[in-house]
Amino acid sequence: MSEKYLVQPDLAYIDELEGLGADTLKKCFQCATCSVACPIAPEDSPFPRKEMIAASWGLKDKLQCSGDIWLCHECGDCSDLCPRGARPGDVLSAIRYSAIKEYSQPKFLANAVEDPKKLPLLIAIPGLWFALLAFITMTAGETMTKIFHTIGIEWSHGGHGIAQANFFSTWFVDLTFIPLSICVAVVFGLSLKRFVIDIHENAVAEGKTDKKTIDIKALLQALVSIIPVVLKHDKFNECEANQDRATAHMMVLYSFIGLAVVTGIFCVVLYVFHIPGPYSQLNPVKWLGNISGAALVIGSLLMIKNRLAKKDQVSAYKDWYILGVVLSLGLTGLLTEMTRLAGYAEVTYFLYWLHLIAIFNLFAFLPFSKMAHLVYRTTAMAYAEYGNRK
Ligand code: SF4
Ligand code: SF4
């Protein structure tokens, strides 16, 4: 059955998409080659041709609550085969980023992350904050040690020799990132609630499901069932022309998982067993951290190389921002470790300051940056599984 579109063109939305790298969308003459070429589009109402039509009409409401835009894995196969050079893969990427901005709150942060002129501010704010923490740690360390000692808390977790905690108190670092993580989780939770309701209402309106309400338990079961698909990048691997992108993508994903595991273990070691770092290089958890850090650097460099090599693919600021943050995170982390081992204390502390700024940018702006696609896509894949949309 053909779909009915309520046509309410939004010219500002078309301009926004063009600014996000979809400047070719009007070249589409609706031949449907892309939908045939896409290896992962469902047979029932495949993408991305219908999204190209909707985008050229500026149908913002229809596109932003579509679960299908998130099923695309941005492999670029369709763009390679489009006879008009309309680059549907890039258009879908722009639509997704616009949806991230739409769902995330507060809006001023979403706008700041998208605006290259605001980049110095995004670096300066955490930069000044961590410089202040370093100043307090260095100048008031002894006083703080005494005050905390009287209430039975160990203030400095720094070991002997060069230790990051001697420059940035572990307490300060944790008291920055723990509340920040909670805020990010709340923002994501509220955004995802609206997102799931919208894609469900859209699916009902388009006749893709006959379930009027969402069965949360079944949706969570679907979420659990698609986690192996996400971890193995099964969908990404179904793409053909650009399979090399899957390798870089997997390296970055697994390095984040590895670093999260390492951080969790060392938190337990520090706060439960009261053993401060730095930890021995012979420690297997340390190996995991070093391997994950190296994989993060290599994976992000491969992503940058792939982008630079694809002359026909548009890379907007949103793409470079997140790649820059990920690469900075990996590089500063590895260099902090290497200079610490080499005994260059000042260089180590400076690199660790840069590392903290990179972590802050990754965490604080996660709901607003392109990285949010991990959460939205996983949710949309779970909804597709729940709705039996194969
Ligand atoms: S984007 Fe390209 S391949 Fe897809 S329908 Fe338009 S012209 Fe055809
Ligand atoms: S970029 Fe890849 S996954 Fe996305 S629509 Fe095109 S072919 Fe399909």
Side-chain angles (χ1 to χ4, degrees), residues 271-307:
Y271 289 112
V272 178
F273 298 105
H274 304 290
I275 305 172
Y279 305 105
S280 163
Q281 292 298 319
L282 299 176
N283 187 323
V285 183
K286 198 81 179 176
W287 297 351
L288 178 61
N290 290 338
I291 292 169
S292 301
L296 191 62
V297 172
I298 296 168
S300 48
L301 283 174
L302 283 175
M303 280 181 161
I304 291 170
K305 177 177 160 275
N306 287 342
R307 274 206 173 267

Side-chain angles (χ1 to χ4, degrees), residues 37-40 47-48 71-79 89 92 239:
C38 176
I40 56 178
F47 53 78
L71 301 184
C72 159
H73 280 56
E74 206 180 342
C75 68
D77 284 7
C78 56
S79 294
L92 281 188
C239 300

